[in-house]
């Protein structure tokens, strides 16, 4: 949408298809008259921001440098040109954590963030990081006292080897219960791994609506 739907509203323009040489990965630029990133206070617009849109499972995965960029794209652009309007898809974090604790799960837990569910305010939240958080004594003894809202996932090794080439870092992506994701994306290998995790979430139906089985976007 290259013309704003509201006065001084945001616009989008398709820049490239098959980003990272992956089917259904498209690159858009979002143009905003107000700053959405880390611009200096006296910097004048318009401001251009990169957005990747990955299509599959009748859903979109929208990726940008700041969450606010995606929120503006949804509110000012997609809500005016896609019907019925897009909505964020909540993720069933508890079910995902329970499954990824199992030694046969393809992905393991590399980080957890949650709120304390007990009484009192001396402790309110916890963040855990590690190669396999669910194997730690602290998690085993106390995870029932927390309501986790964000989970990081990485590749599990089988017989000392990964099922696929590992990225530079163990954690591939962090997924929150509200559908927000946090990740590092600079190479095709990272893009493929991100897509693999999203496929994993969808095939296992860890979302709060029905998802068809099978694979999502093709990898080549």
């Amino acid at each position: 949408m290259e013309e704003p739907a509201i006065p001084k509203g945001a616009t989008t323009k398709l820049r490239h298809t098959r980003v990272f040489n992956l089917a259904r990965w498209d690159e858009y630029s979002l143009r905003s008259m107000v700053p959405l990133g880390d611009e200096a206070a006296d910097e004048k617009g318009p401001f251009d921001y990169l957005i990747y849109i990955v299509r599959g499972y009748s859903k979109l995965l929208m990726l940008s440098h700041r969450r606010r960029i995606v929120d503006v794209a949804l509110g000012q652009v997609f809500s005016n040109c896609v019907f019925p309007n897009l909505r964020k898809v909540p993720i069933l974090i508890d079910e995902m954590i329970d499954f990824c604790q199992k030694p046969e799960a393809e992905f393991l837990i590399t980080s957890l963030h949650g709120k304390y569910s007990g009484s009192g305010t001396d402790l309110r939240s916890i963040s855990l990081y590690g190669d396999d958080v669910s194997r730690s004594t602290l998690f085993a003894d106390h995870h029932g006292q927390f309501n986790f809202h964000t989970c990081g996932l990485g590749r599990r090794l089988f017989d000392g080897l990964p099922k696929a080439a590992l990225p530079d870092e163990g954690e591939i992506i962090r997924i929150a219960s509200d559908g927000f994701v946090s990740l590092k994306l600079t190479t095709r290998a990272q893009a493929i791994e991100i897509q693999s995790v999203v496929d994993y979430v969808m095939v296992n139906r860890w979302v709060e609506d029905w998802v068809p089985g099978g694979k999502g976007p093709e990898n080549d």
Side-chain angles (χ1 to χ4, degrees):
M1 191 172 74
E2 297 187 36
E3 296 294 330
I6 59 176
K8 297 184 178 181
T11 60
T12 56
K13 183 177 181 179
L14 177 65
R15 292 171 53 88
H16 301 288
T17 60
R18 293 191 65 90
V19 179
F20 299 112
N21 197 30
L22 296 175
R24 301 184 184 179
W25 279 69
D26 300 326
E27 178 184 310
Y28 286 79
S29 62
L30 177 80
R31 173 158 289 190
S32 172
M33 298 307 296
V34 299
L36 304 175
D38 298 325
E39 294 82 6
D42 59 349
E43 191 170 345
K44 303 295 183 181
F47 303 92
D48 292 317
Y49 303 99
L50 177 70
I51 297 180
Y52 292 135
I53 296 181
V54 187
R55 293 171 284 120
Y57 299 102
S58 300
K59 291 175 175 57
L60 301 178
L61 175 65
M62 301 182 66
L63 305 174
S64 194
H65 294 94
R66 295 287 183 272
R67 182 172 185 164
R68 188 182 178 194
I69 298 170
V70 171
D71 288 339
V72 168
L74 285 172
Q76 295 188 17
V77 178
F78 286 86
S79 63
N80 292 290
C81 61
V82 178
F83 301 95
N85 288 160
L86 298 176
R87 63 182 180 85
K88 298 177 182 178
V89 180
I91 306 296
L92 304 176
I93 289 292
D94 289 339
E95 293 185 16
M96 186 168 69
I97 292 172
D98 288 344
F99 188 87
C100 290
Q101 294 179 57
K102 301 176 182 178
E104 66 271 20
E106 186 171 350
F107 297 94
L108 51 73
I109 301 167
T110 51
S111 63
L112 286 171
H113 307 272
K115 296 182 178 180
Y116 181 56
S117 60
S119 59
T121 58
D122 292 335
L123 178 65
R124 294 183 179 177
S125 63
I126 191 171
S127 294
L128 303 175
Y129 302 89
D131 294 334
D132 188 350
V133 170
S134 65
R135 293 184 60 187
S136 68
T137 302
L138 192 152
F139 177 85
D141 292 344
H142 304 289
H143 70 274
Q145 300 177 46
F146 295 90
N147 296 317
F148 292 107
H149 53 75
T150 304
C151 176
L153 297 178
R155 279 278 178 189
R156 185 182 298 278
L157 300 180
F158 292 90
D159 297 325
L161 297 173
K163 282 190 173 181
L166 286 169
D168 294 336
E169 299 179 9
E171 185 164 283
I172 300 168
I173 189 172
R174 289 181 193 170
I175 304 176
S177 57
D178 63 356
F180 175 75
V181 298
S182 177
L183 50 90
K184 180 180 179 181
L185 176 57
T186 57
T187 67
R188 185 175 189 271
Q190 289 170 331
I192 291 173
E193 282 293 86
I194 291 163
Q195 184 170 292
S196 296
V197 177
V198 173
D199 284 347
Y200 200 64
V201 171
M202 295 300 177
V203 168
N204 284 285
R205 301 187 179 183
W206 295 323
V207 292
E208 288 191 354
D209 64 348
W210 182 82
V211 180
K215 288 292 184 181
E218 296 295 331
N219 286 346
D220 52 28

